[in-house]
Amino acid sequence: MRYSALEIVKQGFSGNRGWKPLWRDPAPKSAYDIIIIGGGGHGLATAYYLAKNHGVRNIAVLEKGYIGGGNVGRNTTIVRADYGQKGNSPFYSHSLKLWEGLSVELNYNVMFSPRGLLELCHSDGQIESYSRRANMILARGDDAEMLDRDAVRAYAPYLNFHAERFPIRGGLLQRRAGTARHDAVAWGYARGADALGVDIIQNCEVTGIDIEAGVVRGVQTSRGAIKAGKVGICVAGRSSQLAAMAGMRLPIESHVLQAFVTEGLKPFINTVINFGVGHFYISQSDKGGLVFGGDLDGYNSYAQRGNLGRMEHVAEAGMSMIPALGKTRMLRSWGGIMDMSMDGSPIIDKTHIEKLYFNGGWCYGGFKAIPASGSAYAQLIATGDLPAYAGAYRLNRFETGHLINEEGTGAQPGHH
Ligand SMILES: Cc1cc2nc3c(=O)[nH]c(=O)nc-3n(C[C@H](O)[C@H](O)[C@H](O)COP(=O)(O)OP(=O)(O)OC[C@H]3O[C@@H](n4cnc5c(N)ncnc54)[C@H](O)[C@@H]3O)c2cc1C
């Protein structure tokens, strides 16, 4: 069903009884050409682009829970293209371009809102390093502006300009960055993939990967065995567990990251802001809640909830940056399982098992990556090649030492 203004009017006149479910609820077939394990943002986008760009239709996405129950529906939704590392910057630049057309591409409103992202600078050293970063972003063809203190004050007057300890000296602004509605992204890709014939199978946990003579043959699931020509792993925080089913040990650890939401407030924060000292980022959702987060909890876990110590730490950082936050009430918090790679950058690659592919290591930044990751992974699975913008994400960089050192926390999350 195609969404349009005309359709809304039509449905309005017929009591809104004609809307169709966003995707079917098919029973798993006994065999597929391609199975994608994991119905998060990356898995659903991969299935969508496999069908759309490569014409493969006999695909299943196997999700152990429900669509949107993983990190794709738990994150703070920041989308930006301000990465400086060689391997990462073309990838995130491409992804932001895909975000800009995503609602039209999917015929589904993912509520991408380019409201800008301001990174605060608090010292001369930080101004210098952010200026360098701004120049790198500009040289790549994306947008970046350095603001002085007065310009930051004009842009975000509610920040703490009286702080002695963390004085605001300026900021790096990317106006095309912003936020999107996280679960709408999962639903939009699920709906798009389903319309192209992809079976989205919820409540279907993969419990084993069948391999014969070094070639993947299918998977074992909580709903029976399913044969497959190719299998793509795409399970974010559960990456190590799935890889272990195929006898692989990955350079990835799982950690908890929490997000927090306050009660709904009148429009107050007009952009996304990153604190320049300590780890804190905040935006305001369209419903009015302030959405914010900080550091990882700092220990390995598969729990989707965090601890009070980190909550206090994040609230302190928030209060230092915007003292008025002290008057708001925090309504909800939750955790997601981060797939932390050892260099803080992702992996999209074949594995040593024929026809078995891996996508993961998105750390705390994989929401913004969903469109580019899905289209790159689809290309890899369909053709065997990665597009140039994702060419640095090979698994063997951990063997050769060609790491893409973003601030990976890897084995030492406390040093982040
Ligand atoms: C609190 C928080 C804040 C974040 N903030 C941001 C941000 O502001 N910007 C940004 O870019 N990124 C952010 N991220 C990171 C981003 O959300 C993730 O990197 C990204 O969503 C991970 O990819 P995914 O969507 O495919 O993962 P998921 O949605 O977790 O999908 C993986 C799916 O695999 C399923 N699965 C696992 N095991 C199995 C199995 N055995 N069988 C079948 N299915 C299985 C899971 O149930 C899950 O649904 C944040 C994450 C968190 C938790």
Side-chain angles (χ1 to χ4, degrees):
M1 164 178 221
R2 219 187 137 68
Y3 293 160
S4 64
L6 186 66
E7 193 60 44
I8 294 174
V9 175
K10 239 171 78 187
Q11 294 297 335
F13 280 115
S14 59
N16 282 310
R17 278 185 225 98
W19 297 111
K20 303 238 165 37
L22 294 194
W23 56 87
R24 298 160 295 127
D25 184 21
K29 295 194 278 193
S30 60
Y32 289 92
D33 293 340
I34 299 177
I35 284 179
I36 302 295
I37 309 173
H42 292 255
L44 292 165
T46 303
Y48 172 78
Y49 291 114
L50 270 168
K52 168 95 192 302
N53 297 350
H54 303 281
V56 190
R57 295 295 150 98
N58 190 20
I59 306 172
V61 176
L62 306 182
E63 166 53 49
K64 79 172 178 150
Y66 59 94
I67 297 304
N71 291 346
V72 69
R74 291 169 177 267
N75 66 82
T76 43
T77 81
I78 301 171
V79 174
R80 58 188 164 89
D82 58 354
Y83 284 62
Q85 297 286 340
K86 226 172 160 190
N88 279 334
S89 66
F91 178 86
Y92 288 100
S93 174
H94 182 66
S95 207
L96 183 56
K97 289 186 188 103
L98 294 180
W99 274 105
E100 286 166 339
L102 196 57
S103 292
V104 174
E105 162 80 26
L106 297 176
N107 178 230
Y108 194 85
N109 188 2
V110 300
M111 295 168 73
F112 175 59
S113 163
R115 58 184 66 183
L117 169 88
L118 177 64
E119 311 253 10
L120 295 177
C121 304
H122 305 268
S123 66
D124 289 347
Q126 226 169 5
I127 299 245
E128 272 177 29
S129 111
Y130 277 47
S131 303
R132 182 167 170 267
R133 187 162 156 197
N135 285 333
M136 283 192 299
I137 298 169
L138 288 171
R140 197 184 54 217
D142 287 318
D143 72 297
E145 277 166 56
M146 285 305 292
L147 304 187
D148 64 14
R149 182 182 158 89
D150 289 344
V152 171
R153 194 196 279 270
Y155 186 71
Y158 41 80
L159 294 172
N160 186 0
F161 289 92
H162 305 290
E164 300 278 320
R165 194 164 168 217
F166 306 123
I168 293 173
R169 305 290 306 276
L172 165 58
L173 176 65
Q174 183 168 58
R175 291 188 194 269
R176 281 169 61 230
T179 59
R181 165 116 192 224
H182 43 25
D183 36 21
V185 174
W187 299 335
Y189 272 117
R191 174 175 174 271
D194 176 88
L196 294 168
V198 173
D199 281 359
I200 294 167
I201 302 169
Q202 303 182 78
N203 300 310
C204 181
E205 178 170 1
V206 172
T207 53
I209 297 180
D210 297 333
I211 299 161
E212 280 170 29
V215 184
V216 80
R217 298 292 182 200
V219 294
Q220 299 291 324
T221 79
S222 53
R223 295 172 70 173
I226 310 177
K227 290 194 169 58
K230 295 178 180 176
V231 174
I233 299 174
C234 208
V235 293
R238 301 272 173 182
S239 291
S240 303
Q241 290 180 333
L242 263 292
M245 291 177 197
M248 293 189 294
R249 191 158 175 255
L250 295 172
I252 286 181
E253 288 192 352
S254 293
H255 289 275
V256 185
L257 178 65
Q258 299 190 61
F260 309 90
V261 177
T262 68
E263 61 193 328
L265 303 169
K266 285 186 181 171
F268 159 42
I269 296 184
N270 53 339
T271 185
V272 184
I273 306 180
N274 277 356
F275 199 21
V277 273
H279 205 184
F280 180 80
Y281 36 92
I282 189 165
S283 64
Q284 185 164 17
S285 79
D286 293 343
K287 282 196 287 185
L290 304 180
V291 181
F292 54 94
D295 263 332
L296 301 173
D297 269 39
Y299 55 90
N300 298 129
S301 175
Y302 286 112
Q304 287 178 309
R305 61 175 187 280
N307 65 36
L308 288 169
R310 180 57 68 207
M311 194 182 282
E312 192 177 1
H313 180 85
V314 169
E316 278 170 2
M319 286 282 293
S320 305
M321 194 174 92
I322 307 177
L325 288 188
K327 294 187 182 156
T328 64
R329 276 169 294 201
M330 201 189 285
L331 273 195
R332 294 183 290 132
S333 70
W334 60 84
I337 316 167
M338 298 288 84
D339 37 339
M340 295 301 305
S341 64
M342 294 299 128
D343 62 356
S345 297
I347 299 160
I348 306 178
D349 206 355
K350 302 171 188 172
T351 69
H352 68 286
I353 295 157
E354 224 178 296
K355 315 273 188 208
L356 180 65
Y357 303 83
F358 178 77
N359 174 319
W362 294 102
C363 307
Y364 35 68
F367 179 68
K368 67 181 79 60
I370 286 172
S373 161
S375 77
Y377 199 30
Q379 183 170 330
L380 175 75
I381 295 173
T383 68
D385 292 319
L386 272 176
Y389 68 80
Y393 293 161
R394 297 287 185 187
L395 201 40
N396 71 355
R397 71 176 189 270
F398 296 96
E399 265 174 55
T400 61
H402 292 93
L403 301 180
I404 314 168
N405 269 318
E406 289 297 343
E407 197 170 11
T409 58
Q412 307 198 352
H415 293 180
H416 181 65

